[in-house]
Structures are given as structure tokens and as C-alpha cells.
Amino acid sequence: MTTLELSPSPGSWLPVCETALLTPGRGVAALLPDGRQAAVFRDRSGRAYAIDNRDPFTGAQVLSRGLVGSADGRPFVASPLLKQRFDLETGRCLDEEGVTVAVYPVRTLG
Amino acid sequence: MSAAPNTAPDSPGTPRVPTIVLVGHGMVGQRFLEELARRGVAARARIVVLCEEPRPAYDRVRLSSYFSGRTPEELSVVEDGFLDEHGIELYVGDPAETVDREARTVTARSGRTFGYDTLVLATGSYPFVPPVPGKDARGCFVYRTIEDLLAIEEYAKTARTGAVVGGGLLGLEAAGALQGLGLGTHIVEFAPRLMPVQVDEGGGAVLRRTIERRGLTVHTGTGTREVLAEDGAVTGMVLTDGAELAVDMVVFSAGVRPRDGLARECGLAVGERGGVAVDAWCRTSDPAVFAIGECALATDGRVYGLVAPGYEMARTVAAVLAGEPDGEGFTGADTSASLKLLGVDVASFGDAHGTTEGCLDVVYADARAGVYKKLVVDGEGVLLGGVLVGDAEAYGLLRPLTGTVPPVAPEQLVLPPGAGAPVALGPGALPDEAVICSCHNVSKREIAARSSLAEVKRDTKAGTGCGSCLKMIGKLLPPAADQGLCGCFPYGRSELYEIARTRRIGSFAALLDAHGRPEARGGEGCEVCKPAVGSILASLAPGYILDGEQAALQDTNDHFLANLQRNGSYSVVPRVPGGEITPEKLIVIGEVARDFGLYTKITGGQRIDLFGARVDQLPTIWARLVEAGFESGHAYGKALRTVKSCVGQTWCRYGVQDSMRMAIRLELRYRGLRAPHKLKSAVSGCARECAEAQSKDFGVIATAHGWNLHVGGNGGATPRHADLLAQDLSDAELVRLIDRFLMFYIRTADRLERTSTWLERLDGGLDHLKDVLVRDSLGLCAELEALMTEHVGGYRDEWAQTLDDPERLARFVSFVNAPEAPDPSVRFVPERDQIKPDLVSLTAGPPNAGPLAAGTPAAGTLEGATSR
Ligand code: SRM
Ligand SMILES: Cc1cc2nc3c(=O)[nH]c(=O)nc-3n(C[C@H](O)[C@H](O)[C@H](O)COP(=O)(O)OP(=O)(O)OC[C@H]3O[C@@H](n4cnc5c(N)ncnc54)[C@H](O)[C@@H]3O)c2cc1C
Ligand code: SF4
Ligand code: FES
């Protein structure tokens, strides 16, 4: 059994859940110690990603509930509210230049 | 936008670049700037623009679309960065006040003075207000600028009735706007008919009838004598025939006059009835000064009040300044127009009034249907012009044929299809030189040389003006080569359905890896194809919609079996078949709403929506509802929504069948059916149609002998009246035909294609549908019925299934690492004794959250995107 961890700030790691709990292509939300939220995903190949959960267009904490896809070989999540897409590796919005969300490093233990 | 600090005239001695000063930043002014940029003049000259209005150029032609939701920003015609990129200095809200032609300077209201080598006037026109007493009272408006519209909108909030003075093109637009703002609306036109410039007497009569049927009051052959006012505000109006109208506001739309004041004051030649006189190169009586657009009086003695001739003038002057004048300059233009006013198609072209000597009219009129068509031809059969009211479909073809002998007899061109020999005159009949887009003067040849609409728009601008040519352009272009669903699949939805069905493919990954585009195989898919394939798999293999990989295909709404709201909370809609509900069940809904503090609203679909549930509350809410006998209403799914019903024969004195019973039967039969888009239905107990069945995907109306089935209806953004598929059906015949209809639709429609658009697109249309479904011409019916039987047998309530399974319930938590914690960002504030989302705290966000990004919904989404 492996555990997924993410790093909310440099040097610290926070256990999120068992890796197997993540359905590939679907996300979950995690509450960070300082009140922020992270959206955590796993893709088909099993790789995990974490970005901020807050949709920067609406303020709602919903990115974890978007659909995961890939464009040009790079994974993204489409916000479930107004459908803007965010690159899971860089947090960059693919539909509106200059908009990004924070990315959190992830690792699996165990 | 750039504004250089240099506001003094160029001092002698500094290295000089020529300066072009443009006065007026309207549609024509902006086009002139684009033409200068395109020809490289912007790079060699200093360009200064004086703009009187408080905003840069915008689309005046579509001004009225402000009332249908287009914002002033969206109306802008200046591309982001255009002015900066070309170093154009724009002074917004600073009109030119004087011109000194001797010194070649222009002085603006702010006191800034600019020297010029070339001065271009593009000052447009102003609305003419007849000099009647009371015309300046509060409540009197004109209809020309965005500011005018904002003022009208504000004033209309406190007004109940309004009058528009002038029944021309703009008057009718203004009248449409007033009616849209909820005002009782009068139109007062001095001429004996509406739109006297464009249409003839016959056309005017048909137009009037149609407009009156829409509830507007039309007064023709009478003018305005006086506007009555009390305490300075409009209270009424007296007409020249003595009639008095009680109105709270008046919009003057009695024609426009060229704004030639600046030109007059500096001694330029102007026409007797106004307009800055210009030659074929748009040069005024001073060779250093040009005039273009609506302020100019062309060599043919006309002032053109349309944007296309203005664009032509802009092009002409830019070509002269670039040193590349072409052709004969501007000597006159086509004033053909095709418009939709108050919902009526109106088009006129060429010699619409038959003023050519010896010309003959060919007229078709059907006052009942609101259709009037007239063609003007000469003795040799050459088409000279025409007027079309109520049905302007033929405009796209007729206008370019003007000046030629059409390939078929003229009467065949105006008769409705079905009367006499039908004409199938396609775009092939047009000569290559035929002008297809008159706004931008683009020929058939230029369009046919391109392969997509995007290319046509980019290269020629055709279709980007009034848009009336788009249909014709569509017919000239080759059918789009790539019909693929998205970047992942080269197939459309119906093809994928067939692939999945015949190859028995049961998973998204298998479908993508075997039939996706090469570059997408092995990838994740995308937000477009995942839900679409999810729906195909669900309709092929009924079962729990969220099992296994399927869970990752569904939109959040399907994933949580509820509808996502703007603050991240969800809404809950239990099914209420046919809208019939017992008091006990009503009480349960009330209790659940009260206990969970949910906002409660009766929906447009005869049921009750409970808003504001957090993800983690959904199972407990549903446990109570399921316990009381409720099922999922699928408000979140591309599935059957409601079968609305009227009360029908049991209670209603007019009813001829039991519509309630039938509605409940249909709703229970098709509940849970996954489809390319949502499905709606209704059953009415008699022809009075209280359930509005004809606006539904399948609508049933009782007759004395059984049921009539209508299909392909739609409300929403593009309403469509349903077509009658079959009449006087028995209960069993009705159900069997609906089974076939729904399965045929599910099998062949595209993603997010409602039955209405699907039916419009279907080759052979309704007749084909009747062949396939009623006469079984393809031998498909048995299979379609079997698929439906399988669905009906396999139906289980999704919420009951979810509650029964701890694993399925596990996903209903706000946080995976804190399953007990509610999401603190989902907050509410009170409103009218209930709750609403607290958007203020949402915008502020948690600690460290930045400001919200301004953005538009991603391409292709409509409102309602989450469930699309
Ligand atoms: C709740 C309701 C409005 C209300 O307060 O009355 C509603 C609410 C929504 N409508 Fe609707 N529509 C509701 C009746 C209608 C009706 C009237 C009717 O059904 O009789 C129409 C026009 C009829 C029609 O569809 O032909 C209607 C035409 C739309 C459309 C445009 C569809 C179209 O073909 O143009 C959308 C957008 C879409 O589906 O893409 C939409 C989308 C939506 C969505 C799903 C938008 C979204 O994704 O958030 C709304 C979510 C509901 C929610 O969160 O619970 N809604 N919507 C009505 C629910 C009825 C029900 O009980 O299920
Ligand atoms: C509601 C409405 C619907 C219309 N529908 C159609 C249609 O369907 N088809 C069609 O072809 N045409 C239509 N028109 C007409 C079309 O909008 C005009 O033909 C077009 O806008 C003319 O462009 P222009 O640049 O010459 O004038 P305008 O667009 O009027 O621009 C002139 C600009 O110059 C400014 N100006 C004036 N004097 C000065 C000064 N001294 N200093 C600085 N700036 C000054 C004005 O404020 C204005 O902004 C419609 C017009 C309206 C109002
Ligand atoms: S549709 Fe006919 S039966 Fe139904 S409520 Fe209306 S009038 Fe009565
Ligand atoms: S004719 Fe107006 S955009 Fe083409």
C-alpha cells in the first residue's frame, strides 16, 4: 500500500491518502494546514499531480471536481464551472493567458 | 490605446513624418485605420484620431444587440492592441472643434492642437429630431450611440408605454428595443407605410400586419405635432391627425443628417441638403482634406447611410494615401439590405421600387402567412431588383443575380416551394463575379477559393458585417473535412456509437487506444469526448453509471448525481413524474429543505429544486428522500428530465384524454435514459396545449381519437416548434413510436445535439423520419424497440443504488484527508428568508488567495455549461 503526499510549503510533506483511492482521471480535494485546498489527481499511467483547488475565475474551490484530459501529450484539468483548462504540471491556464494556479510537489511513499 | 504627450503643432526643424488626422472614430473611421495599417501607411506616418464618444469605435450596426445581452465591450470593433501596435494616437472623449485650413491645424475641445498634412473627416451623422414643441422634455431620446441606449434602458425602468417617431429601419429597431424592455409600444410614421425607403406598398402592408400581430401599435400617414410634458417629463404625444397617445417616453428615429458642421465652418463645400461634397477619391474641395462614411456626399449626389459604402470610401482614401489608388474610386454603391426586424425578415435589393423605365413586376403575396415578394424585371427578363418581406430566404441568391437573366422564370423564384414546379436553384447558378457579401464586397470566386469559414472571414472579412451572407457562404464552402468530435477522436458521436456497438467496446480507454487519433492514443482523452463516450457506453449497457472507469468520464454533475452551483455547492431535484405530488411528499421535501437549510424553488419543469447542499450532505439528504419514495430527477444528466403535464380530462372541462396518466407513464418509462443531450417531454389533455408539448423533444397532445405525437421541439436559446410525426395513436402505438424515435435519435445524433437540431440536420428531414419510424423503411424498428425494452428493464434509481454501497458513498466527502470536515469555502448569506451563496467571501478566498482572474467561459460553452 502506498501513500500519496504533497508539499504545501518547501520542506514539509502532508499525507493525503492512499494512492489506490484515486480513480485515474478523477480528482480529490485535500485540506492544507493553513486553510488552502489542493486538488489531487492521478492520470492513466498512475502519475500523480496536485494544484490549488481554487478556480481563479470564480473563486470556488472546485478544480478537484473537473475532468482530466491531455492535450499535446500534457495532462490538464478542465474547471467544472466555466470549463477553462489548467496544465497539471505547471498550473498554467490554457484558455486565458497570464492566469495560473499554484502547483504542489507530490510523492508516493511506501 | 496610446496618447503621446506631444500636443503642440510640429515645430519646424524636427525631422518630419507626415501627419494624418482622423476626426471621428466610428465604424468607418476604424476601418480607415485598419486599411492604413494594412497598406503600411501607419508605419510611415503619424496618425492622430479624435474621438468624440467616451469609448473607441464600436459596432453601431449591431447596437440593438446590447438589449439581447451584448456588453459595450463586446460591441467594440477595435482589436486589442491594434492601436498600440501601429502607434496610433487616440484621444477618447475629445472632439475636434475647429479646423484652420490655412495653417493646417485641428484644435480639439481639450485645447490640444494638431498640425496635419492630411485631414480625414469621418464624423458620421446625427439623428434628426423634428422641431416639435416638447421635444426636449425628459423622456425624449434618440437611438444612435451606446450612451443613448444606456439612457433609454434606465428611463424605461419607470415607464410603461413609449412611442417611436419614425417607422424606418432604425425606428423599427428602436421599437423592438422598447417592446423588449417591457413597454407598450407605438410606432408613428409620416409616410403611408412602414420602411418607405426599402419596401413598396404591398410589402409595407404585410410588414405592418405582422408587426401588429406582435402587439405593437402602428400609426402611418401621420406625424408628430407635439410632445406633452408635465413637470418637464413626457406624459403623452399629439399626432398631426389630432390623435393623442398617452406615453411615458419618446424615441425619435426620423432619419439622420450628415454631421458636416466642422466642414461648413472651415469653408469646405457642402451639399444643398447637407453632406461634405467629395470627388470619386473622397477628396473635399480642399485637396488636403477627405471625407468618408455617413458625413460624405458622394459624386452620385447621395449620402449613404449604410456601413458598406463607408467601408468602400475608407478603402479608397487609404489607397490614395498609400500611393496606390485603384479603379475609378468611389462613385456609388449598392444599397441592398437584408434585415430581421422585430422578428420579420425584410430584404430589398437593386431597383426595389421599379423606377427603371418599362420595367415589370412579378408579385407573390400571402397576407395570411405574412409573406410578400416582388421582383422587378425588364422586358428582356433581366432581374433589376426586388422586395422580400416575411421570407427572405431567396435574398442570398437573388441579389447577386441582379443585372442578369436568371436561369429560371422569375415567378418560380418567388413562389413558395410546393406551388407549381419547385425550384432548386443552388449557388451553382451564380456567376463567379456575383457579390456574395455586400458589406465587404466579396465575390463568389473569392469565397469559393477558401476552404473554411474561418479562412473566409480572416482573408476577406466576408460574413463579419451584418452576417446576412453567412448562409450563402456556407453553401459555397466544401463540407468541413474533419467531422471529428474533438482533438482525440476523428469520428463524430454517431460513428463512435456504431463503433462501440458493433465492436462491443465497453471502455473509454479501449475506444481511445484503438480508434482515437494517433497522437491521442494512450492519452487521457479530454473534457469533450469523455462525457460523450460516457453517455454512449451508458446507453449501450444500462447499469450503474458510475462503476469502474465510467466514474472518471462523467462531468461533476453526473459524478455527484447533483448540479454544481457557482460557489461549489450542489442542487437536488427529486423526480416528480408529471408534476403530480401528494401532500405527504410535499411535506417531506419541505422538511428536508428546512432541516438542511436549503434554498427552495419551484422549477420551470413542474418540480422542486433544493439548492445549497455540500457534497458531504448529499447522501444524508438523499437517504431521507429515497426513504420517502423519491428518485433521482436526473436534472444533472444528459437524460430524460421531465414529462410535463396539464391536469387533463379528469378535472379540466375541455380535456379529451387523461394526460396525467400518460405523462406519468412516459416519465417512468424513459427515466434514466442517457442521450446525446437532455430530453424533455410534455402531454396536453386537449388542443389548448396547456402543457406546451410542442416545445418539447417529444410532445403528446390528446385528440378525440387518441394522441398526436410531435417531435423535435425546443425551448431555450433557439426555440423550435415540434413537427407532427403521427396522429390519433392508441396508447400502445404512441409508446412504441416514441421508443423508436428516442433510440433512433440516441443512435444517430451528435454530441450535445438536441432533437430539434438533429431533425433539422437529418437528410430528408421529417419525411425521412416518418419513413424510418412509421413505415420501417430501414428495417430498424424491431432493434430500436428491443434496445428500449432493455433500457426499461435495466433501470434502477441511481441514488438508491449509491446509498446501498459504502464504496460508492465514499466519494461524497469535501476532503479526502479530512472526511469529517465540511468545506469552509461554501458559505451562504440570507436573502428573502432563505439562503444564497456568499460570493463576497468566495471572491476574497482563503488566506493568500490572489484576486480573481477576469475571463470568459472557455470556447464552446453556453450558460449551463456544467451539465452540457
Ligand atoms: C432549475 C431550472 C430553472 C428553474 O429554476 O426553473 C433550470 C436550471 C438549469 N438549466 Fe434549464 N432549467 C430549468 C428549466 C428549463 C426549461 C423549461 C422546461 O424544461 O420546461 C428550458 C427550456 C426548454 C428546453 O430545454 O427546450 C431550459 C433550457 C435550458 C438550456 C437551453 C437548452 C437548449 O436546447 O437551448 C440549458 C443549457 C444546456 O442544456 O446546455 C439549461 C441548463 C440549465 C442548468 C442545468 C445549467 C447548469 O448547468 O447549471 C441549470 C441547472 C439547474 C440546477 O442547478 O439545479 N436549461 N431549462 C429548470 C429545471 C426544470 C426541471 O425541473 O428539470
Ligand atoms: C441602430 C442602428 C442600426 C444600424 N443598422 C445598420 C445595418 O443593418 N446596416 C448598415 O449598413 N448600416 C446600419 N446602420 C448605419 C451604420 O451604423 C452607419 O452607416 C455607420 O456607423 C457609419 O459609420 P461612420 O463611421 O460614417 O459614422 P459613425 O459610426 O456614426 O461614427 C462617427 C463618429 O464620429 C464622431 N464625431 C462626430 N463629430 C466629431 C468631431 N467633431 N470630433 C470627433 N469625433 C466626432 C461621432 O461621435 C461618431 O462616434 C445602423 C445604425 C444604427 C444607429
Ligand atoms: S390542455 Fe386542454 S385539457 Fe389540458 S388543462 Fe389545458 S384546456 Fe384543459
Ligand atoms: S453581407 Fe453583411 S456580412 Fe456579408
Side-chain angles (χ1 to χ4, degrees), chain B residues 272 312 354 398 515 725 734 755:
Chain B
E272 229 169 83
E312 205 48 40
L398 290 174
H515 302 278
L725 185 64
L734 175 70
T755 55

Side-chain angles (χ1 to χ4, degrees), chain B residues 436-440 462-469:
Chain B
I436 301 296
C437 174
S438 54
C439 285
H440 297 282
T464 60
C466 69
S468 69
C469 56

